[in-house]
Amino acid sequence: VSVGAGASVDAGNDGYAPQATIYGHVYYDLNGDGSQDVDGVDNILGNADDEVNLANVDVDIVESDAGTQTVVTNASGNWTANVEPGDTDVTVDETDAQFTAVVPSNYTQSEGTNPQMNVSVGAGASVDAGNDGYAPLSTALVLTKTGTLDDTVVAPSGVPNVGDTITYAFSVENTGNVALTNVVVTDPLLGSLSCTIANLAIGATTSCTATNN
């Protein structure tokens, strides 16, 4: 601070605010259902179906004042950082050796968002940044075919006759944890079937129909 001879110079104010705390949790979601079942579906801890905490994984923090720090998940998969109040960015390091040692290379994030941007943290507050769950990619479809007879095409109505028509409905559900594109449904007995699904989101169901006699 430059102060000239005989001058009076204001060095400004120094204000201090309590730090904020942000925390989260990282785990391996083996069955990809978007939640952690620590002892697996068999409810027996120590078996192959356990959904384990991801320990010793780096989590990179960018604070509101652009300061950066890296914290590490503990044995319970939890991490905590003391930060400046304001918007904070959080990134789980998915290249960390402790991450890749557990999570396969063909994975998807089943819970949370990474990176998570602009998490608002007030002065003195403690804010949960949420869980980050990672699951192996799993593509799965459920195809249901149902037929509806139109017995009014050929008389007498009310009974099946040669020439009556059957309309087949195909229901396609994405039961995996990967969004699918260009799903094609074919049926060798239904030449009139034309069913190409451009996009089928996770958990979504769509349908198409064809008629035969």
Side-chain angles (χ1 to χ4, degrees):
V1 178
S2 178
V3 184
S8 177
V9 176
D10 184 3
N13 299 329
D14 291 291
Y16 296 88
Q19 279 194 311
T21 301
I22 188 170
Y23 61 93
H25 178 70
V26 187
Y27 70 96
Y28 181 46
D29 184 11
L30 180 62
N31 64 9
D33 67 351
S35 62
Q36 185 178 19
D37 191 357
V38 176
D39 55 5
V41 295
D42 62 4
N43 297 319
I44 301 175
L45 195 63
N47 285 351
D49 64 345
D50 291 355
E51 296 187 338
V52 298
N53 302 311
L54 295 182
N56 300 313
V57 173
D58 286 351
V59 179
D60 298 321
I61 308 293
V62 179
E63 302 180 48
S64 60
D65 62 356
T68 63
Q69 61 174 299
T70 298
V71 295
V72 180
T73 58
N74 62 19
S76 299
N78 299 322
W79 59 268
T80 302
N82 294 321
V83 298
E84 293 297 315
D87 290 341
T88 303
D89 300 339
V90 178
T91 303
V92 176
D93 184 359
E94 297 171 1
T95 67
D96 188 292
Q98 302 304 316
F99 182 96
T100 59
V102 178
V103 181
S105 58
N106 58 332
Y107 67 85
T108 186
Q109 187 161 7
S110 58
E111 184 181 9
T113 302
N114 190 54
Q116 188 174 180
M117 312 299 287
N118 299 321
V119 181
S120 181
V121 186
S126 181
V127 174
D128 184 0
N131 297 332
D132 288 286
Y134 295 87
L137 290 177
S138 173
T139 55
L141 286 172
V142 173
L143 175 63
T144 305
K145 176 183 178 181
T146 56
T148 302
L149 172 66
D150 182 357
D151 59 14
T152 65
V153 176
V154 177
S157 299
V159 295
N161 298 286
V162 176
D164 284 340
T165 60
I166 301 175
T167 298
Y168 293 96
F170 297 83
S171 172
V172 184
E173 180 184 4
N174 183 355
T175 57
N177 60 15
V178 182
L180 302 175
T181 59
N182 297 320
V183 178
V184 179
V185 180
T186 61
D187 189 322
L189 300 179
L190 291 171
S192 64
L193 176 62
S194 176
C195 183
T196 299
I197 305 165
N199 296 284
L200 192 60
I202 299 169
T205 301
T206 192
S207 61
C208 45
T209 60
T211 300
N212 199 5
N213 55 17

